[in-house]
Amino acid sequence: GTMAFFDSLYGYLLPSSGSEILRYDLANFQNVVALDLASSGSTPGRCQYFSGGFSDGTYSYFIPSQHGEVCRVDSNFNTAGVTSLNLQSYDSELAYLKPGFEVNNYAYLAPYQTSSYYASGKMVRFDLGSFSSVDIVDLSLSDSNLKQFQAAITDGTYGYLVPDYYGKMARFQLDPYQLIDFQDVSSWSSSVSSGFSDGNYIYLYSGSTGTVLRVTWGIQNEEITLSGTVSGLSGGFYVQNSLYFFDSSDAQVTYRLCAEASQTSTS
């Protein structure tokens, strides 16, 4: 599969397997440049296989899905501008992580699997300035089912980990970096795809559930029905006071939800 992210100037396409990434100009949707990271990393071959990425406005970061190495590319977008952070030098189990957000000069990643392909509960943050300082919190020490998450997201105050198979969503403090509490959302869906925040609520969506779960921490969560025919959702995001969700069974259908209401429109 192919994943994407963007900054203020460029869009980036990256493979889930392989080492070649693409950058294109958002202004004209042209000027495509390819960069092969195969020879980069603490040893050649470690800058490949990615789960996603993000930009801090200066560098683009590519998150590992196999080798535990975060690869960073500067704005020149060539091999001379590639640096990397080997997370396995801090903990050998850090192999497959998922994005991810950045705030106050730190990047926060969600744990997924260890180097032995077991579910991981070790969430990670690293300092964007030094690109060397790494903090690790093992959530599974608090609860054995706090592991294997689909994404790390924030509402601007706290961080949250979106659960995968194990069904428990975690909330954590950004500074000091520590777990606060967690809740089980598996009664809504046992296979959450991902989620995002509009600054007030957390929205979770699933490829096997036709509703969206609006999470208000410490208060009753609410299921929002988008349509009587939708059986699952493949993606979603928030922009300009509207929530957008993509139908997993029909790529031509998008649902829009006003952030302050439960009414929807379909396009």
Side-chain angles (χ1 to χ4, degrees):
T2 302
M3 291 147 293
F5 65 94
F6 59 89
D7 57 26
S8 61
L9 297 175
Y10 300 103
Y12 301 85
L13 299 176
L14 55 154
S16 57
S17 61
S19 58
E20 188 174 71
I21 55 179
L22 300 178
R23 187 182 77 173
Y24 59 91
D25 195 318
L26 292 175
N28 57 24
F29 212 53
Q30 296 179 14
N31 302 331
V32 179
V33 180
L35 176 61
D36 195 336
L37 301 176
S39 61
S40 302
S42 56
T43 57
R46 288 182 62 86
C47 277
Q48 59 180 333
Y49 303 104
F50 305 110
S51 63
F54 67 92
S55 171
D56 66 359
T58 303
Y59 296 94
S60 49
Y61 298 81
F62 301 90
I63 309 308
S65 64
Q66 189 171 112
H67 298 301
E69 192 128 349
V70 179
C71 301
R72 183 177 75 169
V73 184
D74 69 15
S75 59
N76 293 317
F77 206 68
N78 55 39
T79 53
V82 179
T83 49
S84 66
L85 174 60
N86 182 5
L87 298 176
Q88 291 187 324
S89 67
Y90 295 85
D91 189 314
S92 62
E93 289 189 346
L94 297 177
Y96 187 171
L97 297 110
K98 291 200 172 187
F101 62 90
E102 58 96 6
V103 66
N104 294 334
N105 210 40
Y106 282 98
Y108 296 82
L109 306 179
Y112 197 73
Q113 288 180 338
T114 69
S115 53
S116 302
Y117 303 104
Y118 294 111
S120 172
K122 293 181 178 180
M123 66 176 184
V124 172
R125 79 169 183 179
F126 61 88
D127 189 314
L128 295 173
S130 67
F131 200 47
S132 62
S133 177
V134 176
D135 298 309
I136 303 165
V137 177
D138 189 349
L139 302 174
S140 65
L141 297 177
S142 299
D143 186 287
S144 61
N145 285 324
L146 287 177
K147 54 189 176 183
Q148 194 163 313
F149 297 92
Q150 290 282 26
I153 59 178
T154 184
D155 60 4
T157 302
Y158 300 108
Y160 302 86
L161 293 172
V162 177
D164 187 24
Y165 173 77
Y166 293 92
K168 289 188 176 180
M169 181 179 180
R171 180 175 67 154
F172 60 91
Q173 194 163 311
L174 303 182
D175 195 17
Y177 186 45
Q178 61 189 22
L179 175 68
I180 301 175
D181 50 14
F182 55 90
Q183 63 171 290
D184 193 329
V185 298
S186 60
S187 60
W188 166 70
S189 176
S190 59
S191 58
V192 183
S193 296
S194 195
F196 59 88
S197 174
D198 65 357
N200 295 310
Y201 303 100
I202 303 295
Y203 297 88
L204 303 182
Y205 56 87
S206 168
S208 59
T209 304
T211 60
V212 173
L213 188 67
R214 184 166 70 181
V215 178
T216 309
W217 210 268
I219 304 175
Q220 183 74 31
N221 297 334
E222 179 187 356
E223 283 192 54
I224 300 173
T225 301
L226 301 179
S227 166
T229 60
V230 62
S231 59
L233 299 165
S234 60
F237 63 92
Y238 168 76
V239 65
Q240 295 182 342
N241 206 42
S242 292
L243 317 168
Y244 294 86
F245 298 95
F246 305 108
D247 195 313
S248 59
S249 61
D250 190 340
Q252 295 182 333
V253 176
T254 302
Y255 300 93
R256 186 182 70 171
L257 175 67
C258 295
E260 299 301 323
S262 299
Q263 297 177 342
T264 61
S265 61
T266 306
S267 58

